[in-house]
Amino acid sequence: KALYRCCSLFSGLLTRLQTSAPTVRTLSTSNSHSQSIPSSLWKLGRLNHVAIAVPDLEKAQALYKDVLGARVSEAVALPEHGVYTVFVELGNTKLELLHPLGEKSPIASFLQKNKTGGMHHICLEVDDIKAAVTELKEKKIRILSEEPKIGAHGKPVIFLHPKDCHGVLVELEQA
């Protein structure tokens, strides 16, 4: 049910983030055909991961590793983001288990409202994060930080305000 909701939200989000490309008609001696012209300087890529906030990191690791049989990483502390992260490999994407690190962790406040945990954000790859930030700001999509920060994969990331993305916190990561 949660995965269905995530996919449904993801579909609506993609519609909001992508702009419609103008169509140009080209005449030739045979049939006419349409050709799309990209309207952005950046391109949205694949779903990198779905992040889940968990109140008990060890229990969550055990569920995915011992019960479901997935490959699960060790916990990594990311003090600059206020989280511990664990990645669960799923073949076509990953789950990122998030647990609070420190009292000012955004995950701690999330877990205060959602005691049993839950989906925190989705992460989408982009081919040019700086161009994406510039264009999204022009389209009145709020960015939650002034500049990209280095994320759990060692690449620049930014977060988009959930109120501008159909209630979903979206992380964009440089591919």
Side-chain angles (χ1 to χ4, degrees):
K1 183 177 175 182
L3 185 57
Y4 174 78
R5 183 170 180 255
C6 174
C7 290
S8 173
L9 292 170
F10 180 63
S11 174
L13 173 66
L14 286 178
T15 303
R16 172 115 160 92
L17 289 178
Q18 294 175 328
T19 58
S20 58
T23 301
V24 175
R25 302 248 331 120
T26 306
L27 298 176
S28 66
T29 54
S30 59
N31 295 334
S32 295
H33 64 283
S34 296
Q35 180 180 5
S36 290
I37 299 172
S39 61
S40 296
L41 297 175
W42 60 281
K43 206 163 67 177
L44 194 60
R46 71 181 191 92
L47 172 66
N48 184 285
H49 65 265
V50 174
I52 302 170
V54 298
D56 186 326
L57 193 54
E58 290 78 23
K59 277 187 180 178
Q61 283 177 290
L63 170 69
Y64 288 101
K65 182 178 180 183
D66 302 333
V67 177
L68 299 175
R71 285 188 324 170
V72 177
S73 75
E74 295 298 318
V76 174
L78 296 175
E80 63 277 10
H81 293 277
V83 297
Y84 289 99
T85 63
V86 169
F87 282 96
V88 178
E89 294 291 330
L90 299 176
N92 62 342
T93 192
K94 298 179 282 288
L95 297 178
E96 179 184 35
L97 305 179
L98 299 172
H99 187 72
L101 172 61
E103 293 177 15
K104 295 186 179 186
S105 169
I107 300 305
S109 61
F110 181 90
L111 289 172
Q112 285 174 350
K113 297 173 198 155
N114 305 277
K115 301 289 184 206
T116 59
M119 190 182 94
H120 185 262
H121 68 269
I122 64 169
C123 177
L124 305 173
E125 295 178 357
V126 294
D127 66 346
D128 186 340
I129 198 162
K130 290 188 184 248
V133 167
T134 300
E135 185 173 315
L136 290 168
K137 283 181 178 179
E138 289 171 2
K139 293 179 177 181
K140 307 297 184 217
I141 303 293
R142 290 172 282 180
I143 311 296
L144 297 182
S145 62
E146 288 300 312
E147 292 291 322
K149 297 178 182 178
I150 300 302
H153 297 116
K155 298 177 179 180
V157 299
I158 53 125
F159 286 87
L160 308 180
H161 199 292
K163 289 184 178 176
D164 297 335
C165 300
H166 303 284
V168 177
L169 178 61
V170 176
E171 176 183 22
L172 298 181
E173 178 180 278
Q174 178 68 49

